Amino acid sequence: MRLRFFLATLVLCMLFPMQVFAATDIKGVRLWRAPDNTRLVFDLSGPVTHNVFALDSPERIVIDVKSTRLSADLKAILEQKSPIKDVRVGLQANELRIVLDMAAKVTPKSFTLAPNQQYGHRLVVDLYDEKGTTGNKAEPTVPITVPSTPISTAKTPATYKQRDIVIAIDAGHGGEDPGAIGPRGLKEKDVVLAIAKELQRQINAEKGFRAELVRTGDYFIPLRKRTDIARKKNADMFISVHADAAPRASAYGASVYALSDRGATSETARWLADSENRSDLIGGAGNVSLGDKDQVLAGVLLDLSMTASLASSLDVGQKILNQMGNVTRLHKARVEQAGFMVLKSPDMPSILVETGFITNPAESRKLANRSHQMAIARSIHTGVKQFFYSNPPAGTYVAAQRDAGKTLIGPLQHVVKSGESVSILALRYQVSIAEIRRANKLKGDTIHIGQKLTIPARTLAAQP
């Protein structure tokens, strides 16, 4: 009996040791540099056990990975700009040691990822810059910390109080996260960054406005940190740009999303319960001050702020959607509402713009086209202007111009859609029916679907 047991155990040991103890391969490595951190992603043939720690004098990061073989050229990461000066590899017993020689002090964090979509097993190592050190940044960026009242730039009047309206533009995904992928390999992260940069260019050419990019290059930012960055830039509005995916390749059309009512309610509770977020608001980073309020009153004020932000989000979202309908097909004619994480900000209007279905072959080709990207950006820009010309924040150049009764917007081009009339357009654009008739040489009020109309420039009077 004992002999049988011994032989069975021996057979099992001969059959399974290679599966159990076989070394995992590091098949490749990728690097992304963000303004304040560096991300390393090791592609693996299987799961691993690892340990990461920092050493100083000189500064270096040590990555120990058990039962692992190296099948990739780690020196390739030195070709990109980052705080990593050199990389060395050693093998001790059954453990692979990777040493990163650093140009500046960093704080490491690491985690592993199971296979997902096009990716296999991965080991992710994030190297966060210490305050006061920058390493080698991938590109020059605007500092995250700005004065509480932005100082006017050259394109605004010298009067200090007449600040710019600040728009935070968030290009979705990035770095390790490509987002949706089109039929010819077009990545959502690349398309939306191109549109975001074009939107920034257009907004910055508009007097009284300033656009700030949340993501300036090809790197990943956690969802909540995206709104944190916008808040630290004192943004008056947050716009997240995406390109949708769908199970059916035939799905088409642009969409605009605002936060759902249920999401707004749950987010109010989360902000009140989360001491870190609460201290952020109390510290003045946001536009809601709760520092001197008791819990009940703070809840009421924050709920009111969330409700007001949601109403503004729906308003500007519809204006943008109306403009996008002039340059591309729409998936839905009205703003949709969902619990997207990046929309859960209680102190600024926030919308998510789906510029089209990148998984639709025809829309994918359009989204890759520079002219179409410019047209999409222009439609978002126009909707933003319409909203802020009607609702300018106090102390801004736009508010001063409106109060002075000066012309602020127009002329615009509008493509007539089903159900629209001259009277509806006059109400929407705040011009008279007679002005629309004169601008388009209309003899009456008959208009047709697909007809292009000029909406004349107009002056927006101060609100009572």
Side-chain angles (χ1 to χ4, degrees):
M1 187 72 180
R2 288 182 179 178
L3 180 60
R4 284 184 191 172
F5 179 79
F6 173 77
L7 291 174
T9 304
L10 181 61
V11 170
L12 288 174
C13 290
M14 292 175 65
L15 287 174
F16 294 105
M18 291 304 293
Q19 281 98 3
V20 176
F21 300 109
T24 296
D25 283 331
I26 295 181
K27 302 186 298 181
V29 62
R30 288 163 287 145
L31 179 148
W32 284 276
R33 177 61 191 166
D36 61 353
N37 70 84
T38 303
R39 168 164 286 192
L40 281 171
V41 179
F42 297 91
D43 291 308
L44 310 169
S45 63
V48 296
T49 301
H50 76 285
N51 183 38
V52 177
F53 56 93
L55 297 173
D56 55 17
S57 301
E59 300 293 342
R60 56 205 188 277
I61 299 297
V62 178
I63 307 169
D64 287 334
V65 193
K66 292 185 178 180
S67 302
T68 302
R69 295 177 304 210
L70 183 62
S71 302
D73 178 16
L74 298 188
K75 291 284 186 179
I77 64 176
L78 301 177
E79 298 173 4
Q80 295 176 252
K81 291 184 177 179
S82 79
I84 302 173
K85 294 193 304 181
D86 198 6
V87 57
R88 294 174 282 124
V89 179
L91 188 63
Q92 291 184 335
N94 198 34
E95 188 170 86
L96 180 71
R97 169 162 289 188
I98 302 170
V99 180
L100 306 177
D101 294 320
M102 307 301 298
K105 186 177 182 63
V106 295
T107 300
K109 291 185 179 180
S110 65
F111 55 93
T112 57
L113 293 172
N116 181 34
Q117 295 181 357
Q118 72 268 36
Y119 296 113
H121 288 276
R122 285 160 291 165
L123 167 61
V124 180
V125 179
D126 287 326
L127 307 174
Y128 292 92
D129 299 344
E130 293 285 316
K131 290 183 179 179
T133 65
T134 58
N136 294 316
K137 290 192 175 182
E139 55 185 292
T141 58
V142 179
I144 286 177
T145 303
V146 297
S148 58
T149 302
I151 298 174
S152 299
T153 62
K155 61 185 178 63
T156 56
T159 306
Y160 179 79
K161 292 182 179 179
Q162 294 183 3
R163 69 171 181 86
D164 287 342
I165 293 171
V166 181
I167 312 297
I169 308 170
D170 170 45
H173 308 280
E176 177 72 357
D177 176 15
I181 299 178
R184 295 189 176 183
L186 184 66
K187 295 182 177 67
E188 179 182 3
K189 66 175 183 177
D190 298 328
V191 168
V192 298
L193 182 59
I195 294 174
K197 287 183 175 180
E198 173 59 25
L199 179 57
Q200 181 193 39
R201 185 193 67 79
Q202 292 184 19
I203 290 176
N204 283 345
E206 189 79 25
K207 196 167 187 178
F209 289 82
R210 187 175 83 246
E212 299 279 5
L213 291 178
V214 172
R215 175 168 74 88
T216 60
D218 185 16
Y219 52 86
F220 179 77
I221 302 176
L223 295 178
R224 285 210 179 272
K225 188 177 178 183
R226 293 172 187 253
T227 53
D228 291 341
I229 292 172
R231 188 170 294 108
K232 288 174 182 177
K233 292 176 180 291
N234 289 336
D236 296 288
M237 178 174 288
F238 179 90
I239 301 175
S240 190
V241 184
H242 290 255
D244 217 345
R248 294 179 296 107
S250 58
Y252 67 87
S255 309
V256 175
Y257 288 88
L259 184 64
S260 66
D261 294 323
R262 180 178 297 179
T265 302
S266 63
E267 188 66 6
T268 298
R270 196 196 70 80
W271 271 79
L272 287 172
D274 191 319
S275 59
E276 182 178 347
N277 282 326
R278 185 176 170 84
S279 65
D280 190 25
L281 292 180
I282 292 172
N287 298 321
V288 185
S289 178
L290 304 178
D292 57 348
K293 311 298 190 299
D294 63 32
Q295 185 75 3
V296 175
L297 181 55
V300 172
L301 291 176
L302 192 55
D303 187 58
L304 288 172
S305 175
M306 182 70 84
T307 301
S309 292
L310 179 54
S312 294
S313 301
L314 291 169
D315 187 359
V316 69
Q318 192 61 51
K319 286 178 168 57
I320 289 174
L321 199 58
N322 292 340
Q323 291 301 316
M324 292 182 74
N326 294 330
V327 300
T328 192
R329 295 189 296 180
L330 299 180
H331 188 61
K332 293 286 180 66
R334 299 196 63 80
V335 177
E336 299 179 80
Q337 293 180 257
F340 287 112
M341 187 72 71
V342 292
L343 301 181
K344 296 182 177 183
S345 182
D347 52 346
M348 59 183 155
S350 304
I351 59 170
L352 186 147
V353 178
E354 292 283 6
T355 56
F357 283 88
I358 201 170
T359 47
N360 180 300
E363 288 205 330
S364 182
R365 287 192 295 270
K366 288 170 59 180
L367 288 168
N369 182 274
R370 173 65 177 161
S371 297
H372 185 71
Q373 292 173 359
M374 294 176 69
I376 289 290
R378 191 177 303 111
S379 64
I380 300 172
H381 177 205
T382 302
V384 169
K385 284 195 299 182
Q386 288 179 355
F387 173 79
F388 278 115
Y389 284 152
S390 298
N391 309 275
T396 61
Y397 169 78
V398 174
Q401 292 296 101
R402 183 203 62 175
D403 293 344
K406 296 182 179 180
T407 298
L408 289 173
I409 190 167
L412 299 173
Q413 293 297 314
H414 179 89
V415 178
V416 178
K417 293 181 281 293
S418 176
E420 293 181 335
S421 64
V422 172
S423 59
I424 288 176
L425 295 178
L427 181 63
R428 179 186 300 168
Y429 290 108
Q430 301 178 42
V431 296
S432 69
I433 293 175
E435 287 176 306
I436 293 180
R437 287 175 182 162
R438 283 196 299 269
N440 295 279
K441 298 180 181 180
L442 298 177
K443 294 181 179 180
D445 293 341
T446 302
I447 54 177
H448 308 283
I449 296 174
Q451 183 177 354
K452 292 183 179 180
L453 296 178
T454 298
I455 307 299
R458 67 268 195 203
T459 299
L460 298 180
Q463 301 296 315

